[in-house]
């Protein structure tokens, strides 16, 4: 993600979450050395503006020591169920291997079945629950991890 992608990323964020991050939070992530925001883009056809592309999904991860933490992944509603989140998750894993990370971690709302199914597909295991972690609705977070073999 580049600073110029902020409006497109915010539109996806707002469509995906009831309590979206602010633009300021995204700007801050862009400044942290340990943080990366991947974007998935689709090329536009000539009628839409040839040569340009549109951001359709993003994924935020942190690389700290030998751990990769996936903070957020979201796909614009009209582009879901086409394997885009799967592609982003695979890319994070590739980068985690390249950085010799030992562990991938993430948290997910207990009710988020789409995300839980996605993470299970990548062999993340539920290792704990943070009760009422999401203060907005008092929902539990499921903590998931995936060990990486070197
Ligand atoms: C969760 C989310 C990122 C999935 O993105 P996506 O691009 O549609 O997912 P993919 O097409 O790559 O799906 C990969 C697999 O995940 C699972 N999955 C994805 N969406 C699902 C859904 N609505 N219901 C059940 N399983 C789902 C399936 O196993 C799917 O494989 P399949 O399509 O072959 O059955 C998307 O629904 C989204 O943006 N949701 C709102 C934001 C969010 O909740 N993010 C996660 C928490 S941070």
């Amino acid at each position: 993600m580049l600073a110029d992608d902020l409006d497109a990323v915010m539109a996806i964020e707002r469509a995906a979450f009831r309590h979206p991050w602010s633009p300021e939070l995204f700007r801050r992530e862009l400044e942290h050395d340990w943080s990366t925001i991947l974007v998935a883009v689709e090329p536009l056809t000539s009628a839409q503006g040839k040569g340009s592309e549109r951001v359709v999904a993003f994924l935020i991860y942190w690389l700290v020591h030998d751990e990769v933490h996936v903070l957020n992944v979201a796909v614009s509603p009209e582009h879901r169920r086409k394997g885009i989140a799967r592609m982003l998750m695979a890319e994070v894993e590739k980068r985690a291997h390249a950085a010799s990370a030992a562990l991938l971690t993430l948290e997910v709302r207990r009710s988020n079945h789409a995300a839980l199914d996605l993470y299970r597909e990548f062999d993340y295991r539920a290792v704990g629950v943070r009760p009422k972690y999401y203060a907005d609705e008092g929902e539990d977070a499921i903590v998931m991890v995936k060990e990486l073999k070197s």
Side-chain angles (χ1 to χ4, degrees):
M1 176 183 170
L2 302 171
D4 281 354
D5 298 323
L6 186 60
D7 288 350
V9 165
M10 279 307 302
I12 298 166
E13 170 76 9
R14 290 191 183 108
F17 300 107
R18 243 176 309 176
H19 304 279
W21 280 21
S22 66
E24 192 43 43
L25 275 177
F26 278 92
R27 269 190 221 105
R28 234 179 280 168
E29 289 302 316
L30 288 174
E31 285 166 15
H32 294 322
D33 288 344
W34 58 86
S35 182
T36 301
I37 307 181
L38 300 174
V39 291
V41 296
E42 72 166 358
L44 295 177
T45 61
S46 52
Q48 298 162 309
K50 201 169 165 51
S52 53
E53 49 194 25
R54 173 169 40 209
V55 176
V56 296
F58 69 86
L59 182 153
I60 309 176
Y61 73 90
W62 287 0
L63 172 62
V64 181
H65 303 297
D66 63 348
E67 281 191 25
V68 168
H69 185 66
V70 177
L71 280 90
N72 208 349
V73 51
V75 177
S76 80
E78 65 271 28
H79 290 84
R80 288 188 190 160
R81 230 48 207 271
K82 294 178 180 170
I84 296 174
R86 181 184 289 133
M87 179 184 73
L88 289 170
M89 292 297 293
E91 178 65 25
V92 169
E93 205 165 309
K94 199 173 100 188
R95 287 163 176 245
H97 273 294
S100 302
L103 194 70
L104 286 153
T105 68
L106 54 83
E107 279 121 18
V108 57
R109 283 177 189 262
R110 193 190 277 283
S111 65
N112 194 342
H113 300 290
L116 281 163
D117 281 359
L118 170 71
Y119 304 145
R120 283 196 201 105
E121 185 187 312
F122 278 85
D123 295 327
Y124 283 77
R125 304 183 284 118
V127 291
V129 176
R130 296 196 207 283
K132 300 190 167 86
Y133 180 75
Y134 299 100
D136 42 28
E137 273 122 21
E139 188 171 354
D140 297 348
I142 309 290
V143 181
M144 301 187 93
V145 304
K146 177 173 180 172
E147 285 95 5
L148 292 176
K149 295 176 193 79
S150 49

